Amino acid sequence: MKNHSRLLKILRKTETGEIMEDKVFDKLVTATVKELVKKYDIKYNKEDAINMDDDLADRIFEAALELNTRVGMYCISTHRRMEFTREEILDALKWAPDHVVYGAGLDQCTVRSREPESTIPVINVGSPYGTPINEEYYSKIMESYAQEPEIDTIYGGTFNEVYGVKPKTHSPWEILMTWREIELTYTAIQRANRPGLAIGTGANSVSEVGSLTTTSFGGFRQTDWHQTCFISELKTDYANLMRMTHEVKSGLIIHDFYNPIYGGLAGGSEGLALIATAGVMMLPVVYLSTTHSMAPAHPFFNSNTAPEIVWSISAAQQALTRNTHILTTVMTSPSGGPLTECLLYECAAIATMASVSGASRIDGVRSAVGVEVNHCTGLESKFNAECANAALGMSRKQANEIIKQCEERYVEFLGKQPIGKPFQEVYDLTLMEPIKEWQDMYLKVKDEVRKMGMPF
Amino acid sequence: MDKLFDNLMSFVQEGEIEASITEAKRAVEEDGIDAVEYLQSVLAPVMNNLGDQFSRMEIFLPDLMVAAEAADGIRDELMQYIEVASDAQKGKVVIGTISGDNHDIGKKMVATLLGVNGYEILDLGTDVDPMAFVNAVKRDKVDVVAMSSLLSTSMPFVSETIQYLVAMGLRDQVKVVVGGGPVNPEWAEEIGADGYGHDAKQAVDLLDRLLA
Ligand code: B12
């Protein structure tokens, strides 16, 4: 990929930028976001669940470009601010990939550039997304995602304990647990009869060491995709840059993400939409990456399904997918856990919003905000994917109505930690099927969402 | 006092840090308000009010950061009118996100709200080595060690910090409080912490209780 030739330029910026305290950088972010929200007249209309205004999306894109040229990125490890010109950013975006192939053989799939209301198929990830999982259930839980035909690729959870130990990051345990992730995930895709299925790697690699060892000899494959991330707001560090450098040198597909915080340095919905756009715009510029996720978090709920965040993601996605061809992805990060209707309505809202806003890949589902041990199942990811697929080509206006109705069903539960039940209590581990109660709840909610106008 | 409350509140809300400090100084010099009285009956209620607004997400972190800066400035400025060391500072807190963990947004919110509520904050940042907390207890004579952990794989380091404090005979000198996404009250008890806070507001209540 041509954009990889920029590697040295990026790394040099981390060594030569202006030296600055991170607090000063934070203030620069806050002040500039505030100014640009006003200048570009970015306004959140509470009446709408998602953005439907193209002009606003384009203004957010312009504002984000200006933010990135005025603020840049901060490298925590070298205490330097990395600066970028408008031309540099636009050129990098021009050379960023507009499609990528994941997986091998019959399990291969292609992630494609999309735009709002596009009929081009989305790629669906099935994943517990970092949720702590006990070693004994790890493989079964991963199988529950891999076995669903709607799922095109999978990504892991984090071991709650491994080899009887509570593993520590950046230690030999991290290396061991990331290798264990490979063993158990391969078992899962074998059992699901999808040996070529692409795996998002290094869910257990909090620091760089787990990723570096398992993407070397005998570890994950080149048909998999490999993660690195920004640190909110608009920061990077050596750990992430080491991962990226290794991935570039090894010719790996890089997936990255940026999770800004609602109510954080960028303020409310408007600032969040702006900074999410700006951050994701910089991911391919800084990490030479191929797919780019955003999952803003609520400071008290930790989920991304509060209406004020759903709107921000929709606006940010549309800003990016209308103005670039980069491959954006959105993660469903609900408050609800398995065996709650709340979870399913949250999935429907986010997957529909992401699909009609032009995301190329839908990442789901980080059930119960990803912190409750074993609280994650393949069924919610299947449903998430079904909603994303059903919403292909849907108008934003229609999606808006559906999402509003879904929000009415779940908003009251946010913040009440509706975590539901763990995997082993809602799946039959021999048949590898949801228990009747969970399956019935899924069918009921699917029917309700159908009645809201979703063309399943 | 209501008028003084309104005056200060409007400056802080406008983000006018200098003007807030000038207003506090004016109240003491021109209106003849006792400095300690001002801190307790004007500054504290303004900050409490902002803290409440923040926990309802009516205002956001940047607003709170401005408020914290104004509060610090006002405290520094009014110190010249206060003779003996008063209880203007409620206690000294060393705070940080533990080893291997870069999640700092929640920790920042906790630090800011504690600062707003009259605690002196020593923020060690993120990825903080357990020994750095131990050293703060030794050298900086802090009253509280506050550790944030957002990762199940950084939580063991929190427990280690407490083990070090115990092994070095320092555990009785400080209160240890913990928080962050995967942390819960049961675990806090299991590792021998003095308390757990679910959010920034609870962190303030917790410290007020522990240091009372
Ligand atoms: C935003 C976010 C990020 C951002 C962090 C940016 C930043 N500057 O902080 C980025 C994108 C960088 C990130 C990176 C990673 N993250 Co992350 N992240 C989150 C997310 C979505 C929200 C966290 C957040 O900021 N919430 C908002 C704040 C306000 O809430 P809070 O931190 O909980 O703080 C509040 C309370 O907890 C409390 N509190 C906090 N600290 C303290 C301390 C005391 C003393 C007290 C009393 C109270 C208290 O008060 C705060 C204010 O109300 C969580 C999801 C979640 N459920 O938490 C995942 C999450 C924590 N991350 C996770 C993971 C796995 C990672 C990565 C490893 C991903 C990866 N594979 O690379 C990396 C790790 C990097 C590292 N070395 O730390 C997992 C952890 C799972 C686990 N096993 O424990 C989570 C749970 C999500 C998931 N399931 O994947 N992440």
Side-chain angles (χ1 to χ4, degrees), chain A residues 128-132 155 158 202-203 205-206 227 229-233 243 257-259 261 295 297-300 302 366 369-371, chain B residues 100-107 109-110 146-153 177-182 196-200 203 206:
Chain A
Y129 271 101
T131 303
Y155 177 78
T158 321
S205 180
V206 167
Q227 290 218 121
C229 69
F230 277 170
I231 298 164
S232 4
E233 305 301 346
R243 249 192 265 233
F257 58 92
Y258 174 55
N259 296 348
I261 308 292
H298 190 282
F300 306 133
N302 278 315
R366 189 163 69 190
V369 303
V371 296
Chain B
D101 199 329
N102 282 327
H103 294 86
D104 70 346
I105 295 161
K107 185 256 321 170
M109 289 183 177
V110 173
M147 289 178 277
S148 184
S149 165
L150 269 281
L151 297 164
S152 52
T153 51
V177 298
V178 298
Y196 158 85
H198 181 72
D199 54 34
L206 175 67

Side-chain angles (χ1 to χ4, degrees), chain A residues 93-249:
Chain A
L93 293 174
K94 184 173 112 190
W95 292 110
D98 63 0
H99 70 279
V100 64
V101 176
Y102 285 165
L106 293 174
D107 299 307
Q108 214 173 54
C109 65
T110 306
V111 188
R112 291 190 182 83
S113 178
R114 297 178 72 244
E115 44 189 50
E117 305 180 5
S118 167
T119 53
I120 295 173
V122 291
I123 288 303
N124 288 293
V125 185
S127 172
Y129 271 101
T131 303
I133 294 177
N134 288 340
E135 191 176 9
E136 64 172 310
Y137 298 122
Y138 197 91
S139 201
K140 291 263 176 181
I141 288 180
M142 293 314 297
E143 185 183 348
S144 80
Y145 297 92
Q147 70 183 3
E148 298 297 345
E150 287 82 3
I151 298 303
D152 303 300
T153 171
I154 59 173
Y155 177 78
T158 321
F159 288 108
N160 186 41
E161 38 72 41
V162 71
Y163 301 111
V165 171
K166 288 250 175 208
K168 288 192 278 189
T169 180
H170 209 257
S171 77
W173 297 105
E174 177 171 311
I175 296 181
L176 273 183
M177 76 199 274
T178 318
W179 279 96
R180 193 80 179 117
E181 174 186 331
I182 301 186
E183 292 160 29
L184 297 180
T185 313
Y186 282 175
T187 309
I189 59 175
Q190 282 296 344
R191 278 211 304 244
N193 300 314
R194 300 180 77 182
L197 199 67
I199 300 169
T201 74
N204 286 281
S205 180
V206 167
S207 77
E208 70 288 359
V209 297
S211 292
L212 297 191
T213 115
T214 54
T215 48
S216 301
F217 307 112
F220 287 113
R221 310 155 297 186
Q222 279 185 318
T223 51
D224 294 327
W225 45 277
H226 311 274
Q227 290 218 121
T228 189
C229 69
F230 277 170
I231 298 164
S232 4
E233 305 301 346
L234 304 178
K235 292 178 182 148
T236 181
D237 64 0
Y238 271 172
N240 282 294
L241 289 163
M242 279 191 267
R243 249 192 265 233
M244 176 277 268
T245 304
H246 170 75
E247 287 160 1
V248 167
K249 294 309 286 182

Side-chain angles (χ1 to χ4, degrees), chain A residues 331-351:
Chain A
M331 186 202 288
T332 305
S333 185
S335 288
L339 200 62
T340 67
E341 292 190 5
C342 175
L343 164 61
L344 298 171
Y345 285 117
E346 288 177 279
C347 286
I350 298 282

